[in-house]
Amino acid sequence: MSGTFVGMPAFPTAARAALADTQLRHNLAHATGTIRDKRARVVAEVAEWEDLRTAGAAIKDRTLHDLASYLLQLEASLTAAGATVHWARDAAEANAVVAAVAKAHGVDEVVKVKSMATQEIGLNEALAEVGIAAWETDLAELIVQLGDDLPSHILVPAIHRNRAEIRQIFRERMAGAGRPAPDDLTDDPAELAGAARLHLREKFLRARVAVSGANFAVAETGTLVVVESEGNGRMCLTLPEVLVSVVGIEKVVPTWQDLDVFLRLLPRSSTGERMNPYTSTWTGVTPGDGPQEVHVVLLDNGRTRALADRVGRQALRCIRCSACLNVCPVYERVGGHAYGSVYPGPIGAILNPLLHGVGGDTQTDSLPYASTLCGACYEVCPVKIDIPSVLVDLRAQVVDAHRDRRAPHAEAVAMRAAGWIFGDARRLARAERVSGRIRRWWARLARLPGPGRRWTTARDLPTPPRESFRAWWSRTHR
Ligand code: SF4
């Protein structure tokens, strides 16, 4: 019971379909506007916010610069605390570890804390293939799972759904997954949350194995950290006997002092709260308290590829707050599904190509163009990721990856012609003279069917002057 992004079309096609959905646009505008305003209010309360952002970026850069040694330190700390550490190069290896742990305990279901890493590797689908049901316990993830839908936001995966739609999903689908929704369920938020609470409670009490991600992993002590708003994560992290945490290798922070900076940046940037309602930390196994068997899967899955990208490696600073999504004019109009990934919005437009590499498929190659380059994402990012610069660099990489095509794009032909003209002063002077003579047909030329018209639909094509500067200069300064 969950959709998959596999086979999604390139961004322009998917975006066109999303733009035609007025209900979706209304839901998105309302939800992103509310979170955006909340964030702006609480960020304005912190006088040293810019210093915090700089500190967050510096800590991440320092850690990424020496990632190998911090990861080894984390592994040693985790092992000393009684956890078992696994290294996974890709999604298949990570999924196999989780499935093997679940199988070893003879279970056919696991409960899950909301986790981007497990969505990225398609864990639910992989577990389903070996007969294990993975139950999402975050309210928004539950809505997406029951609705056989796809997440459309990092923090609020069901942001594209309104209350009436959620009520419908609960009434139609909850019974098929466990405790049914009450017959008289209305679309009152408290009633919807109550129905989800009762539905999930029996899963928490029954589950013997839980799966989580981690927002941070502290290398000096081997402590994993999950921040959340609902308490479902705390239930998963404390009730089951076995816990498997899938953690991206970029989540490591050296010390608790470093963690402090991120625990101040994250809640204000994500939900617009001063503090996270639930911040859970655990360090390996504590006898008689919580899971007595803890596994940690340290996941690469393209992160070392991203780390090797000189400009793009800053994307690994991301703490998944989703502030960049909420301010992005493109995301607000098309929603998350159009990006064809669990990572939508501005961060998705750079992270997906960095993790997968460009030149391999049209969907990934289309993402760096899914932006107006307005820079709003950079201004709100709590770890100062310069998303516009990474987008521009990735666009260049996409162009480079296709340079050897047999039939070059019209844009490439035009650029090559421009390069030839600009490469020689006499050729440029001649082109200026010609463009001055045909200026009266200029507007008509731009309207001819073909790439020219597509280009000028959303851009101005300035009419060339009757006389170029070069011609005026040589006429008046003979
Ligand atoms: S790129 Fe920055 S603003 Fe966007 S999700 Fe990551 S940390 Fe948040």
Side-chain angles (χ1 to χ4, degrees), residues 270-339:
S270 55
T271 49
E273 290 167 310
R274 296 182 181 95
M275 266 184 81
N276 271 101
Y278 294 88
T279 301
S280 300
T281 65
W282 69 102
T283 309
V285 175
T286 305
D289 184 11
Q292 295 302 292
E293 186 178 321
V294 172
H295 296 262
V296 179
V297 184
L298 294 174
L299 174 72
D300 182 337
N301 206 32
R303 284 157 177 79
T304 45
R305 178 204 286 270
L307 190 60
D309 189 299
R310 200 178 40 82
V311 180
R313 69 174 60 125
Q314 57 184 303
L316 295 177
R317 292 182 202 150
C318 178
I319 56 173
R320 312 281 191 265
C321 71
S322 76
C324 57
L325 278 65
N326 301 327
V327 296
C328 176
V330 177
Y331 176 87
E332 186 178 313
R333 281 154 187 83
V334 302
H337 293 165
Y339 294 81

Side-chain angles (χ1 to χ4, degrees), residues 39 154 266 269-270 314-315 317-325 327 344-348 350 376-378 380-385 387:
R39 178 207 160 271
I154 290 175
L266 183 55
S269 301
S270 55
Q314 57 184 303
R317 292 182 202 150
C318 178
I319 56 173
R320 312 281 191 265
C321 71
S322 76
C324 57
L325 278 65
V327 296
I347 182 61
I350 60 171
C377 47
Y378 174 51
V380 295
C381 178
V383 283
K384 287 192 165 175
I385 300 173
I387 294 177

Side-chain angles (χ1 to χ4, degrees), residues 146-169:
L146 290 177
D148 203 8
D149 200 352
L150 292 163
S152 64
H153 191 275
I154 290 175
L155 194 72
V156 200
I159 198 169
H160 54 291
R161 297 288 196 187
N162 62 24
R163 287 190 274 153
E165 291 173 309
I166 294 166
R167 170 178 171 267
Q168 191 76 3
I169 291 169

